[in-house]
Amino acid sequence: MTRPPLPPFDPDSARAKVRAAENAWNTRDPETVALAYTEDSVWRNRDEFVTGRAEIIEFLRRKWARELEYALRKQLWGFRENRMAVRFQYEWHDTDEQWWRSYGNELWEFTPEGLMSRREASINDIAITAADRRIFGPRGPEQELWELPLR
């Protein structure tokens, strides 16, 4: 199974890979998202360690049961050969209707087939009001570049 674009990445293929990941995560469908990872993919997400697609699916089910109305934006930070650094923000609310904005950085490593074999994510959350929201669902096709404000 291959998952284009394939490494080694150039600027266009790296941006396309990041956009494909953003689009997949915005489906909030664990099975769809997990297909981008190897069967034995290794993750560190905050303080949780996950190995393999089955654990990825279970992790994402728990995540999206807790992070309601999740909407994500990713931005390429840098790349080389089969590795990427990505920064992101996403917004969501909990069951008490408290809105949150989560900021983070990810390090990705890909196989020659374009599947992600390693993902390391560092994430911080801040409480926001509903009026402070700025991410409302998936990005439209006309929104090619979304600069992420730091606040």
Side-chain angles (χ1 to χ4, degrees):
M1 179 170 127
T2 61
R3 192 80 169 199
L6 307 177
F9 299 108
D10 61 31
D12 291 334
S13 65
R15 281 191 293 276
K17 195 69 156 182
V18 172
R19 183 64 181 266
E22 177 185 305
N23 290 344
W25 279 67
N26 275 324
T27 69
R28 294 177 282 193
D29 179 348
E31 288 78 11
T32 296
V33 173
L35 291 175
Y37 301 90
T38 61
E39 290 286 345
D40 61 350
S41 186
V42 176
W43 285 20
R44 181 188 57 77
N45 195 88
R46 300 177 192 257
D47 62 349
E48 191 167 350
F49 295 84
V50 177
T51 302
R53 279 191 190 150
E55 287 186 21
I56 289 169
I57 290 169
E58 182 53 35
F59 169 86
L60 293 172
R61 285 183 182 147
R62 287 191 324 271
K63 172 185 179 63
W64 290 320
R66 180 179 69 250
E67 295 178 357
L68 306 174
E69 295 189 58
Y70 171 100
L72 167 73
R73 296 294 184 272
K74 291 184 180 280
Q75 184 180 41
L76 179 65
W77 188 258
F79 69 94
R80 188 179 76 172
E81 298 171 10
N82 70 328
R83 293 183 174 164
M84 287 187 203
V86 175
R87 67 185 200 139
F88 62 87
Q89 290 179 25
Y90 62 90
E91 294 175 350
W92 56 281
H93 69 82
D94 58 27
T95 56
D96 294 327
E97 297 297 324
Q98 171 61 59
W99 280 94
W100 298 89
R101 183 173 300 125
S102 300
Y103 297 88
N105 301 295
E106 293 176 304
L107 301 175
W108 298 347
E109 185 172 12
F110 295 91
T111 65
E113 297 77 26
L115 296 170
M116 195 181 301
S117 58
R118 185 174 190 92
R119 174 184 173 267
E120 299 204 18
S122 297
I123 307 168
N124 300 84
D125 306 308
I126 62 165
I128 61 172
T129 67
D132 290 331
R133 290 182 60 207
R134 60 178 177 235
I135 304 173
F136 299 92
R139 180 187 345 207
E142 70 286 352
Q143 296 172 299
E144 285 305 314
L145 181 62
W146 191 71
E147 289 297 323
L148 299 169
L150 292 177
R151 292 185 186 200

